[in-house]
Structure formats: C-alpha cells, structure tokens
Amino acid sequence: MDPLREVAGRAIPFGAKNVDTDVIIPAHWLKTVTREGLGRGAFETVRAQPGNVFDDPDFAGAPILIAGDNFGCGSSREHAAWALRDMGVRAVIAPSFSDIFAGNAFKNGILAVVLPQAEVDRLLEVARTDPVAIDLEHQVVSTPFQDRFGFEIDPFRKACLMDGLDEIGLTLARNEAIATYEQRRAHDMPWLAPSLTKTTEKAA
C-alpha cells in the first residue's frame, strides 16, 4: 500500500447524503475477480444523469471526494473502496461515514476525513473552482483561501496510512519476531511442527 501523508488537488464536489455502496459500485460489477477496472463502474447510476460532476473533465483523476452525511452506508462490499481507489481517490471528506465503509477505506489506503457539515459545505463551495489539500500528519484540511479545518483520526490508522502498512504489511513488519517464535515453538513442542524441526536441525 502506498504511504499517504498529503493529498492535494481538485476535489469532486459530490455532496450527496446517504450514498450507499450500491451507488458507489453497483452489484453487477461484483463478479470481477480483480480490483482493476472497477473505477469504470463507480457511481454508474449518477453518471447516467446528464451534467453529473463525475464526468466533468475539470475533476478527471481528482484525488479527493467530498460527500454528504452517512457516506458508504448499505452493504459491506469492499468493492466500494476498490472502485474509489481505481478512480484515483485517496481521501473522502464527509460529515459521517458508515463504520464498515470507513474500515474498508482504511484497509485500502483511503483516508476518511470527518468534518462538521458547515465545513464540508465550505469545501464543496471551494472545490468547484479551486484545489483542496489534506495534511494527514498535522490533521488539517486547507484551501487557497486560508481555510484550515482540523480533523480527528485514530492514531493507529494514521500511522498505518502514513507508513503505507496494510494488514499484510503489518504482519511482515513482525517477520523476525514471528520467525523467532516459530523456532522456539518447534524446539519446545516438536510434535506440532516436525517438518520445521527437521529443517532447523539441518540448518544447524
């Protein structure tokens, strides 16, 4: 997972409330066995409407999405986070998120920023014409007009995002400790891992 410390650029001023995961990525896209290409199906029903913000060339490849309250509600499909990443989105700003979506977003390297509705409204206004910046280290969202909005984030999630560590990365970071434990267990309880014991003895 790529480290995330700052996200800056155009932000898609979506703003809709109660956007569920079926809107983010419709069910018929879930048959895929890969994460790649899901961005084409993201917000398909919204994109069917003329003049929608997702097909506006000004926001092509925008790394930030600004949404309304209760973003990501509905089913627990992780494909919603995959689709956003495939679109190039690295951060979503909203007044609130579904807990499951927020967890899936974190696991896929997407920062979920919670701000009060008034501050989200201000960002929606700015985003129509100007860029938005998110500084994860200092937990601040800013604009070219001196707006500075602080946000809270779980320290563990912040550290993982900044270091680019997903669940696999966290496990690999403990590789030496795991190997030491496996060797000790093989020595103390050889009946649980006879093949590992033989390998260790040959190496010695």
Side-chain angles (χ1 to χ4, degrees):
M1 189 167 72
D2 297 331
L4 188 154
R5 296 177 178 273
E6 295 182 347
V7 186
R10 296 306 300 270
I12 302 169
F14 185 34
K17 298 181 179 181
N18 300 312
V19 173
D20 63 31
T21 51
D22 195 53
V23 172
I24 298 172
I25 185 71
H28 65 85
W29 284 86
L30 308 189
K31 300 175 183 177
T32 180
V33 294
T34 177
R35 304 181 186 191
E36 297 179 0
L38 285 175
R40 296 195 304 272
F43 301 99
E44 186 176 64
T45 56
V46 179
R47 283 176 160 155
Q49 302 169 15
N52 73 86
V53 71
F54 292 101
D55 288 333
D56 186 329
D58 285 346
F59 303 109
I64 302 170
L65 173 67
I66 305 176
D69 194 44
N70 198 29
F71 185 78
C73 56
S75 75
S76 61
R77 67 188 67 165
E78 192 172 4
H79 298 69
W82 296 352
L84 289 171
R85 276 302 303 265
D86 199 56
M87 285 176 62
V89 172
R90 292 303 308 272
V92 181
I93 302 172
S96 67
F97 294 88
S98 155
D99 288 342
I100 294 176
F101 172 81
N104 286 337
F106 158 65
K107 292 177 182 179
N108 287 278
I110 298 174
L111 172 62
V113 176
V114 176
L115 291 176
Q117 185 66 58
E119 295 178 1
V120 171
D121 289 342
R122 169 58 179 164
L123 292 173
L124 285 168
E125 178 186 356
V126 171
R128 292 186 179 93
T129 55
D130 292 273
V132 172
I134 303 172
D135 181 342
L136 177 55
E137 181 177 1
H138 298 100
Q139 298 175 210
V140 172
V141 180
S142 60
T143 76
F145 305 102
Q146 307 306 312
D147 299 295
R148 287 180 62 84
F149 305 132
F151 62 91
E152 298 298 322
I153 183 172
D154 176 79
F156 172 75
R157 290 188 174 186
K158 176 180 179 179
C160 288
L161 288 169
M162 291 187 66
D163 292 336
L165 294 174
D166 56 13
E167 291 175 335
I168 294 175
L170 285 168
T171 301
L172 292 176
R174 302 287 296 169
N175 188 52
E176 290 187 11
I178 293 170
T180 299
Y181 167 78
E182 292 289 350
Q183 291 176 358
R184 185 173 66 251
R185 188 186 68 168
H187 179 270
D188 295 343
M189 296 177 285
W191 60 89
L192 293 179
S195 59
L196 181 58
T197 303
K198 292 178 181 178
T199 302
T200 305
E201 290 174 349
K202 288 181 180 179

